Amino acid sequence: MRLSLAPDRTSHQRGEQDGTHHAMGGLSLRRDRTACTAETMTLVLGQGAPLPDSAADVEDLVLRLRGHVSQLATLTPSQEPALLRAQLLCSGGLPEGYMPSRVHLVRLAEATQELLAAVRTYGAVPGKPSRQRRWRKPPINVLRGSVFVLALACLVLAASVPRT
């Protein structure tokens, strides 16, 4: 069984329908970084996860893991051993050949898993994402009515001032 590395089109369409569609390729910005990292690690280290078939799949997974490491690096202290190990593996290039590239991929996934565990122990990522209050954009007719009422109040005030 081969797992697809292409983005899920159903979540993209669902996001457009319920209004959560954002820029940046239609990705939902509310997704937790740790959940994305865990998904990618499951593709590599999962119990029934097969080795990637092509060099392009390996390269794609390595790029994803490097991105996760750079995102998680902001949530951990700079001298954390797991972070240093993951950054060391990310800084090296992808080895040539079938087995060396797959071994590098697995090592990078294990280092990312250790980094994720370190992030969770520091408590930098909450279990539930915090919701910030977002103000609802008023309809245009409400704005028009408000401007009309303000203009009318100014006219009445100007008319009630005695002339000297």
Side-chain angles (χ1 to χ4, degrees):
M1 179 179 157
R2 184 166 185 251
L3 299 175
S4 173
L5 297 177
D8 185 19
R9 298 279 182 212
T10 58
S11 64
H12 176 71
Q13 292 169 352
R14 189 178 336 119
E16 288 176 348
Q17 291 169 355
D18 66 3
T20 59
H21 177 73
H22 297 284
M24 296 175 44
L27 294 175
S28 174
L29 297 177
R30 290 183 270 159
R31 286 190 68 185
D32 192 25
R33 290 179 188 172
T34 56
C36 293
T37 305
E39 260 181 31
T40 306
M41 287 186 309
T42 303
L43 286 174
V44 178
L45 300 175
Q47 185 70 12
L51 286 176
D53 292 337
S54 68
D57 289 345
V58 173
E59 188 174 331
D60 182 47
L61 287 169
V62 167
L63 288 175
R64 281 187 185 192
L65 288 171
R66 285 179 180 168
H68 294 313
V69 168
S70 67
Q71 287 179 348
L72 294 176
T74 61
L75 303 174
T76 58
S78 61
Q79 296 303 319
E80 173 65 33
L83 174 62
L84 296 175
R85 180 173 177 250
Q87 286 177 337
L88 180 68
L89 284 170
C90 286
S91 65
L94 189 62
E96 294 293 323
Y98 182 82
M99 282 309 290
S101 63
R102 274 52 174 193
V103 168
H104 178 75
L105 175 66
V106 170
R107 285 184 182 161
L108 183 58
E110 289 171 347
T112 307
Q113 191 172 27
E114 290 175 14
L115 179 60
L116 183 61
V119 167
R120 287 180 177 158
T121 58
Y122 283 109
V125 177
K128 183 179 179 184
S130 61
R131 294 185 113 189
Q132 295 180 355
R133 181 161 176 92
R134 298 183 74 187
W135 293 97
R136 185 177 60 93
K137 183 179 177 185
I140 190 71
N141 288 337
V142 172
L143 294 176
R144 288 177 181 159
S146 301
V147 169
F148 177 75
V149 168
L150 182 64
L152 186 62
C154 289
L155 184 63
V156 168
L157 181 65
S160 67
V161 175
R163 295 183 195 169
T164 55

